[in-house]
């Protein structure tokens, strides 16, 4: 009698082992990539809020962003009003890096539990505020409070939370609106194709 080939399931036992070791780096890479997106969006939206409020309170658009450069230049940065590479660009770079840092924690949390992204974003924004103004030294705070009013601070951190969650909110809305349609079309189409094949046969 001819020898039968071995079943496919006995010929490839090593594939699951290889993919198992690739999962953690892949998840970490995915979290970091998503954090770059959500953190950048949170940085931009909150910076727009900072600029708008600092224009109304301090009289100049870059004043709020300039204040963040106190990380490097100390107290004088809190009183810098004009546009400059020394204060404005550095201040935004610091704020952007901080936003991506908080976004990394947010995306890691959402990767484990993707529900309620806006609630998680609000929690992360509140935690960021507590750390910024009640944990780290004042020089390492964003410095917004020197050029923005109290309502402005609420708007800034609210914009930050919205930026963190916006991509997931939009993606979730598209998924909910598009998910029910595709399966329905597929299910309805299969019986018709089967009936046509029977008639031809």
């Amino acid at each position: 009698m001819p020898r039968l080939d071995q079943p496919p399931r006995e010929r490839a036992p090593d594939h699951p082992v290889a993919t198992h070791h690739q999962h953690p780096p892949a998840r970490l890479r995915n979290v970091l990539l998503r954090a770059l997106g959500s953190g950048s969006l949170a940085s931009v939206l909150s910076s727009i809020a900072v600029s708008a409020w600092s224009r109304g309170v301090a009289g100049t658009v870059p004043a709020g962003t300039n204040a963040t450069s106190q990380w490097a230049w100390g107290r004088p940065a809190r009183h810098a009003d004009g546009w400059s590479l020394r204060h404005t660009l550095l201040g935004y770079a610091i704020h952007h890096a901080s936003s991506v840092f908080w976004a990394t924690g947010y995306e890691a949390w959402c990767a484990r539990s993707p529900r309620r992204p806006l609630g998680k974003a609000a929690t992360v924004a509140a935690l960021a505020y507590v750390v910024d103004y009640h944990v780290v030294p004042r020089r390492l705070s964003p410095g917004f409070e020197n050029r923005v009013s109290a309502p402005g601070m609420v708007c800034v951190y609210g914009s930050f939370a919205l930026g963190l969650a916006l991509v997931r909110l939009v993606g979730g809305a598209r998924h909910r609106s598009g998910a029910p349609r595709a399966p329905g079309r597929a299910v309805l189409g299969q019986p018709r194709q089967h009936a046509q094949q029977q008639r031809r046969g």
Side-chain angles (χ1 to χ4, degrees):
M1 293 179 64
R3 184 178 180 181
L4 297 176
D5 294 336
Q6 293 182 353
R9 58 185 179 184
E10 297 180 2
R11 291 203 298 263
D14 53 335
H15 290 294
V17 177
T19 56
H20 176 74
H21 293 290
Q22 294 176 0
H23 285 330
R27 286 197 299 266
L28 178 60
R29 182 169 60 252
N30 185 54
V31 166
L32 293 177
L33 289 175
R34 293 190 69 99
L36 285 175
S38 58
S40 297
L41 187 56
S43 174
V44 170
L45 292 183
S46 57
S47 292
I48 291 174
V50 169
S51 299
W53 282 91
S54 65
R55 184 177 185 275
V57 175
T60 63
V61 170
T65 301
N66 290 345
T68 307
S69 66
Q70 68 178 348
W71 280 39
W73 313 125
R75 184 172 297 179
R78 305 174 193 169
H79 307 288
D81 293 326
W83 298 93
S84 68
L85 296 177
R86 177 183 176 88
H87 294 293
T88 311
L89 183 60
L90 179 60
Y92 179 77
I94 293 171
H95 176 61
H96 190 90
S98 177
S99 298
V100 174
F101 168 79
W102 287 108
T104 302
Y106 167 74
E107 293 295 347
W109 188 8
C110 287
R112 294 185 176 183
S113 176
R115 294 184 178 182
R116 299 179 180 178
L118 187 56
K120 289 181 173 63
T123 301
V124 171
L127 178 61
Y129 173 81
V130 171
V131 172
D132 288 342
Y133 290 102
H134 298 282
V135 176
V136 300
R138 186 179 181 186
R139 179 167 178 168
L140 298 182
S141 70
F144 300 150
E145 77 286 355
N146 298 296
R147 316 311 298 268
V148 175
S149 63
M153 293 291 290
V154 175
C155 182
V156 168
Y157 279 88
S159 300
F160 180 76
L162 178 61
L164 287 179
L166 193 57
V167 174
R168 287 185 176 272
L169 289 174
V170 173
R174 289 179 179 177
H175 179 72
R176 287 192 298 271
S177 62
R181 298 178 183 177
R185 293 178 180 177
V187 171
L188 292 175
Q190 290 177 357
R192 293 179 181 177
Q193 294 177 357
H194 183 66
Q196 292 176 356
Q197 291 177 356
Q198 287 182 345
R199 292 176 183 176
R200 293 175 182 174

